[in-house]
Amino acid sequence: MKYRQIAWALEKLVNPSKYSKGHPHTNIRWVSYHIPKTAGSSLRASLEQNYPSQVFGAYASTGAKEISRGEPLWLPKHCKIIHGHFKPHESHLEVFPNSKRMVWVRDPVARVYSLVRHLLQTGGEHPQYLILKKIYVMNGVSKIEDIVFDMITNNTLPQFTKAYARFFERVSIDNIEFIGSVHRYQEDLERLGEDMGVPLSESHKNIRNVSQNVPNYETLKHYLRDEYDIVGRYI
């Protein structure tokens, strides 16, 4: 990993030009959208096993904002997969004309529960944890189920609970070439491997009980019906 980062830093220094619709990146084969708490870290590990030094992670400091907005961005010339926390944009098939797009989804209520659980367990200075800390923890509310119930029923933090509506605001999920479900991860990973032409092996990086029971699930599901309208048929 460190060697790859050094190599890419040197490549960027020598050739800092950015890719765009007018200057497409023709080596990219897959654009992988990582929605938080949908096993994206595990997926990336699986991809890197089969595509060593060819998976570029686009996150906060490495171009996620630019690619989400359809703006020019720098990428390694020989990478074949771009994966990270960025949103679909209608320009992506023009910037990456030889690519397919993929995304993985999870039950909306379960995703929110997993996100809150993860943030409370990791804590620290993560911006999303600091929001939870200010609104809930510092006011004596620290149980996962209590926080999730308030967030969803009172629409307290829509940026946490309405992830799919925000994520697919420019490009419909129905237009994405590959959609996998966290709830049948192994099966869909094998299906993805067939599409990619490589046997993908499962990695369990950063997965905490995907099938966990969520308190008040049926009640909470009603409040997120718009989210289920988007991803329900794929989970």
Side-chain angles (χ1 to χ4, degrees):
M1 177 71 76
K2 188 174 181 180
Y3 169 79
R4 180 178 60 192
Q5 291 174 341
I6 293 174
W8 284 348
L10 291 173
E11 180 183 343
K12 187 176 183 179
L13 184 65
V14 173
N15 184 14
S17 62
K18 299 181 178 182
Y19 293 97
S20 63
K21 290 192 291 185
H23 178 45
H25 194 310
T26 56
N27 287 329
I28 295 291
R29 294 296 181 264
W30 286 90
V31 179
S32 176
Y33 306 109
H34 176 188
I35 301 172
K37 307 315 298 176
T38 59
S41 298
S42 179
L43 174 65
R44 181 177 177 180
S46 295
L47 294 173
E48 289 177 338
Q49 288 176 7
N50 289 277
Y51 292 90
S53 301
Q54 294 178 315
V55 180
F56 182 82
Y59 293 95
S61 62
T62 53
K65 288 184 179 180
E66 289 85 351
I67 191 171
S68 291
R69 297 169 180 166
E71 298 173 354
L73 78 158
W74 183 86
L75 290 170
K77 181 179 180 180
H78 297 292
C79 73
K80 292 185 177 180
I81 300 172
I82 178 168
H83 172 88
H85 289 317
F86 53 90
K87 298 178 182 179
H89 191 279
E90 56 268 24
S91 70
H92 290 170
L93 289 183
E94 296 179 79
V95 181
F96 313 112
N98 297 323
S99 73
K100 293 182 179 180
R101 299 161 296 177
M102 76 169 87
V103 70
W104 290 71
V105 294
R106 186 177 193 163
D107 179 276
V109 171
R111 196 202 67 82
V112 174
Y113 189 89
S114 178
L115 175 62
V116 172
R117 183 171 183 259
H118 171 74
L119 292 172
L120 292 178
Q121 289 183 341
T122 54
E125 297 300 313
H126 191 290
Q128 290 185 324
Y129 170 71
L130 295 179
I131 294 173
L132 292 184
K133 181 179 179 181
K134 180 179 179 180
I135 295 177
Y136 297 109
V137 179
M138 293 180 66
N139 289 296
V141 182
S142 59
K143 290 185 177 180
I144 301 172
E145 55 265 37
D146 294 339
I147 294 174
V148 170
F149 190 85
D150 178 75
M151 284 173 56
I152 293 178
T153 60
N154 291 316
N155 198 30
T156 306
L157 293 168
Q159 65 267 41
F160 284 46
T161 59
K162 304 295 177 64
Y164 296 123
R166 294 161 63 90
F167 195 83
F168 296 108
E169 61 185 352
R170 296 190 69 104
V171 176
S172 169
I173 188 174
D174 300 323
N175 292 331
I176 305 299
E177 286 78 12
F178 180 91
I179 303 167
S181 170
V182 171
H183 304 285
R184 50 177 185 275
Y185 186 75
Q186 180 58 44
E187 176 186 338
D188 283 355
L189 188 66
E190 292 176 2
R191 182 166 59 89
L192 176 61
E194 291 174 0
D195 281 1
M196 301 181 82
V198 296
L200 295 176
S201 56
E202 186 172 1
S203 169
H204 291 282
K205 184 177 181 180
N206 199 28
I207 292 181
R208 294 185 175 92
N209 190 12
V210 167
S211 60
Q212 62 201 6
N213 293 321
V214 179
N216 304 301
Y217 174 78
E218 291 300 331
T219 299
L220 297 176
K221 189 175 179 181
H222 169 75
Y223 287 90
L224 294 184
R225 54 189 179 274
D226 289 345
E227 292 283 278
Y228 284 94
D229 285 344
I230 297 172
V231 301
R233 57 196 173 280
Y234 297 113
I235 58 177

